[in-house]
Amino acid sequence: MVEQPRKGPRRGRTPAATGRTSRPRQAEVARLAGVSQATVSLVLSAKAQGSVISDETRQRVLDAARSLGYVPDPAAQRLAAARNNLLGVYSFTATFPTDVEHSYYPFLVGVEREAAARGYDLVLFTGSSSGGAKAAGPEALNRVRLADGCLFLGRHVPIAELKRMVADGFPVVHLGRREELEGLSWVGADYVSASGEVVRHLASLGHRRIVLVREDDDAPASTDRQQGFLEGLEAAGLPGGSEAVFRCADPRRDVTPERLRSWLAEGVTAFVAEETDTGGAWRALRTAADEAGLTCPGDLSLALLGSPPSDLAGDPQPTGFDVPRHQLGAAAVRMLAALVAGEAAEEPLVACAFRPGATTGSPPEQP
């Protein structure tokens, strides 16, 4: 679906007014017109004919291009025409997630299948080949330009380098919400709605005090889960705020049997953990409960906002939701292929399926 107008054009200055000497870029036209860079590319190319773009949006793009003095870059056009049907995949992890037990591996399965169906080959990049602090540096990231476009995945990404790529018009898609970087296309899971559904389930079982245990991390996936958790508490009329969220730098150190018993003494009967690459919060809660001699769901209920670590597959299936990793990988490839082709595409948030599990039940009766 082609992007519809989001907001009116912002007032800007012409190149003469700013004294600039560099060539205006499509990213600047997009910002001035209030649309995505993909929409600008579609309007300004021959492919605009027959596309589902409103006349109002088309005119705003043309007006913005005219006011900036934008003209197509011949070199960029020649490069765009010389595609080699290669899509890059860059992972910001110590090693590329080819191990089937890695939480990112299912994403790659969806990426590979969709790329093959569309006639693309994949080039796999990883910061580990550049080593340590250089993993996200300009030298490492510039290698992805060997491909026609690149898909990035990871909780923490180098915003400055990705911003430069977007400004250059290089097709980039991030697998996971990244709204903090204007112009960056992304595909993500609807963690807010899914987390709220988990809270509603716990409330329906009779729980009135619930605590979220999460790592001290401001990655969008973490903030989305917390937002959904708190919204779920509010909708159920349950206590929220800072007392309902426990952020810790090291869950293994901070979530202890003593801490768990203290929460229970305060009336907390259910705990929710966020899913991360390490599964640290979930592991810490399970370990603390076992060491305290508490049964689940007899003495307390536990829920997981995501899928359990693969090495804990033998444990009881936790209540929570499943992240549609295959579907997300495929959706990211569809969006990247559209950007490479100079077309506009919008992928909605992908829904997560609720998982009843076996780790939640009614709260224990109070003596």
Side-chain angles (χ1 to χ4, degrees), residues 152-172:
F152 291 90
L153 63 159
R155 286 171 64 84
H156 303 285
V157 299
I159 296 299
E161 297 306 324
L162 286 186
K163 184 176 181 179
R164 185 176 296 110
M165 286 186 174
V166 171
D168 289 343
F170 183 73
V172 172

Side-chain angles (χ1 to χ4, degrees), residues 15-17 59 69 100 107 124 136 159 161-162 168 170 193 251 260 270 276 286 298-299 339:
Q59 191 60 48
V100 295
F107 288 129
L124 308 182
I159 296 299
E161 297 306 324
L162 286 186
D168 289 343
F170 183 73
S193 298
L260 200 59
T276 61
R286 291 304 308 264
D299 297 316
L339 293 177

Side-chain angles (χ1 to χ4, degrees), residues 96-144:
F96 203 84
T98 53
D99 189 327
V100 295
E101 293 187 350
H102 197 289
S103 60
Y104 285 169
Y105 180 80
F107 288 129
L108 297 182
V109 174
V111 167
E112 191 278 331
R113 290 175 179 172
E114 187 67 21
R118 293 176 173 271
Y120 284 98
D121 289 319
L122 297 178
V123 183
L124 308 182
F125 301 93
T126 176
S128 61
S129 61
S130 301
K134 298 181 180 179
E139 299 81 5
L141 289 182
N142 277 338
R143 291 180 291 121
V144 307

